Amino acid sequence: MKDAVGQPVDAERPYLLLLLAGIGVLGCLSMIGGTIAAQIVVPGHDWIADTISDLGAGEWEIIMDVALYGFAAGLFAMALAASHAHLGGIGWSAGVISLAILAALVVMVAARNEYGDADSDGVVIHIYLVYGLGLLFLLAPLAMAAGFGRHHPGARRALIGLAVAWAVMAPLFLMAPTTLDGLAERVLGLIAIGMVAVMAWVFWQRGRDARRF
């Protein structure tokens, strides 16, 4: 069985795609739930002025760290799903690699604990990780948009829209005053979560289609 443009859906492993899509969704929920929970338990946290990074340091850092690990798992699941259901050419492959590297960068952000507490022990690489996240969260959806568009045009439009929003918000976050950078970072987080959610929806649909045949 093939989809509307001839992609062999029945060659895709349905339960693998369904599992990976589910992990992607759980990764998004982990990030949202962890951020909300950390904001509740960290005393004096201002979600407009204080960044998510501030939640990842101090007594309750484990909450934000686990949330980031969960989101990293969601990103890596999307890389695996996109590698299995390969819908494009070199651009799609570049997107797959970008997603895998993003997962690694998010793990490094959570593991290094160099943010939010002015810690400068050892080699401080947090700013470079931020730049990497900024670049790859723009590259991944744009590189994969054409592949999604041939099979799922709605997902293509959503990913391009999210990439444009990311391109606008990322520089604003870097330039935002300290009274607003928490809000700007949360908007970027929601955009990144939206990207993963769109991809997870596509792979869930493809898994359901493959299961029928």
Side-chain angles (χ1 to χ4, degrees):
M1 185 265 185
K2 297 183 178 181
D3 64 14
V5 293
Q7 180 77 5
V9 174
D10 55 348
E12 298 172 359
R13 301 298 89 192
Y15 295 106
L16 175 62
L17 287 177
L18 290 172
L19 174 62
L20 293 173
I23 294 173
V25 172
L26 289 175
C28 295
L29 294 177
S30 170
M31 190 65 185
I32 295 172
T35 303
I36 293 173
Q39 289 176 184
I40 293 173
V41 301
V42 173
H45 184 81
D46 184 343
W47 66 274
I48 296 178
D50 298 331
T51 65
I52 295 174
S53 299
D54 295 330
L55 298 174
E59 180 182 1
W60 298 101
E61 65 183 23
I62 185 62
I63 298 176
M64 202 66 240
D65 287 348
V66 170
L68 287 168
Y69 290 139
F71 189 55
L75 283 165
F76 191 61
M78 293 304 92
L80 290 175
S83 180
H84 175 63
H86 205 289
L87 304 181
I90 189 171
W92 186 272
S93 297
V96 171
I97 295 171
S98 297
L99 288 171
I101 295 175
L102 279 169
L105 292 179
V106 172
V107 168
M108 292 173 68
V109 167
R112 290 289 292 178
N113 285 333
E114 293 174 340
Y115 49 96
D117 56 356
D119 179 19
S120 59
D121 294 337
V123 179
V124 179
I125 60 173
H126 181 67
I127 188 61
Y128 303 108
L129 300 179
V130 170
Y131 290 149
L133 292 172
L135 176 62
L136 292 176
F137 268 119
L138 178 63
L139 174 62
L142 292 180
M144 302 175 78
F148 277 113
R150 285 192 291 270
H151 310 274
H152 307 276
R156 174 182 178 273
R157 290 190 294 270
L159 287 174
I160 290 176
L162 289 167
V164 170
W166 181 272
V168 172
M169 282 302 305
L172 292 178
F173 166 65
L174 294 176
M175 296 183 295
T178 56
T179 55
L180 293 174
D181 58 358
L183 176 60
E185 189 181 45
R186 282 164 175 77
V187 172
L188 283 173
L190 288 174
I191 294 171
I193 289 169
M195 294 176 186
V196 174
V198 169
M199 294 179 186
W201 177 83
V202 169
F203 295 130
W204 181 268
Q205 295 299 318
R206 295 190 72 84
R208 291 181 59 190
D209 289 343
R211 188 175 61 177
R212 296 193 188 102
F213 298 94

